[in-house]
Amino acid sequence: AIYVVVSLQKKAHVVVDDETLLERDFGLFKRLFESFEVPRADGTKTPLRAVLCANEERVGSGKHETGLVARVDADADICYCEAKHILSFYASKARSENPDFERYSGYVLILDEVDALIIDEEPNDPFVYPNEELGQMATTVAEALHKEAINDLDPSQMGHPAARRVFAEVRQEWARGKEMVQGTDFVFLKESGTYCVLQSGRANP
């Protein structure tokens, strides 16, 4: 990413499709990024600016965490983000009134864990976590949402580095599920005892 910015003089978008790993990697390299200067078009040099895409709740929490943005910042030299952020960024540019596709040449995508982005982009069981602790955590959050007691839960007190991600994912999918209509958006398969999303009229188990 530093090579892309300093030598190629382009913007780097680093895509890591796991919120926990995204934050870890950004935190690990943030001070290194800030130690570099970037040549600008007017011949001057300014400090390299790196940002991290985070959820809007965290960005607006007032905790004054530096380098956080709610969406891809087109002016940042390096932007760490998830696939959903980068898709939204390029889609909004393509759909604008006067799209400038030539500007795309000024960006370089760096994909971390590319197999996860391509193969596992649409997991069938988003809340079947790889260990019992995360699974129980997701259940706890879902139960709190069902009882309308979500404000009583604090992910920072859950004692796990992935707690914030699990908390945010369950809340997001809960809100999405509340908007779904049975028979239109999803169906229940009695033979397997599972709910399936309807895509083009077909159940996706």
Side-chain angles (χ1 to χ4, degrees):
I2 293 172
Y3 171 78
V4 167
V5 174
V6 176
S7 297
L8 301 183
Q9 297 185 30
K10 297 175 182 286
K11 309 293 186 184
H13 293 153
V14 183
V15 185
V16 183
D17 210 33
D18 181 285
E19 186 177 1
T20 302
L21 296 178
L22 181 71
E23 292 188 21
R24 183 202 67 184
D25 290 354
F26 180 76
L28 185 64
F29 296 115
K30 187 173 186 292
R31 290 182 62 184
L32 176 63
F33 294 150
E34 293 173 346
S35 69
F36 281 81
E37 290 189 328
V38 182
R40 303 301 180 185
D42 60 2
T44 62
K45 288 186 177 182
T46 59
L48 188 154
R49 179 169 171 258
V51 298
L52 167 70
C53 284
N55 61 64
E56 293 189 7
E57 182 179 350
R58 182 178 173 188
V59 173
S61 66
K63 293 182 179 179
H64 305 295
E65 294 181 87
T66 60
L68 295 184
V69 292
R71 55 191 57 85
V72 172
D73 185 340
D75 297 321
D77 297 305
I78 297 175
C79 183
Y80 269 67
C81 55
E82 296 176 63
K84 61 184 179 183
H85 298 122
I86 208 68
L87 287 171
S88 174
F89 174 74
Y90 284 106
S92 65
K93 288 197 169 298
R95 294 169 184 164
S96 63
E97 186 175 349
N98 297 300
D100 180 11
F101 296 109
E102 291 297 324
R103 192 178 180 186
Y104 287 1
S105 64
Y107 300 110
V108 173
L109 286 179
I110 300 175
L111 305 181
D112 190 10
E113 299 290 344
V114 66
D115 58 328
L117 290 170
I118 296 174
I119 300 171
D120 303 325
E121 183 180 358
E122 293 292 341
N124 291 326
D125 301 298
F127 297 124
V128 178
Y129 288 94
N131 63 64
E132 184 177 350
E133 184 179 4
L134 291 183
Q136 182 56 51
M137 190 182 301
T139 300
T140 299
V141 176
E143 289 176 344
L145 286 165
H146 179 67
K147 297 175 182 177
E148 298 184 349
I150 192 63
N151 291 331
D152 296 335
L153 286 182
D154 183 354
S156 66
Q157 301 297 317
M158 291 183 174
H160 195 286
R164 191 185 297 275
R165 173 173 63 87
V166 173
F167 191 84
E169 285 179 346
V170 176
R171 291 192 69 174
Q172 179 181 344
E173 291 303 314
W174 181 274
R176 178 169 167 257
K178 295 283 283 187
E179 299 296 322
M180 287 182 154
V181 178
Q182 185 169 0
T184 301
D185 301 310
F186 71 93
V187 292
F188 179 72
L189 300 181
K190 293 182 180 179
E191 57 271 21
S192 60
T194 58
Y195 289 93
C196 297
V197 174
L198 284 175
Q199 296 178 329
S200 302
R202 296 183 178 181
N204 180 26

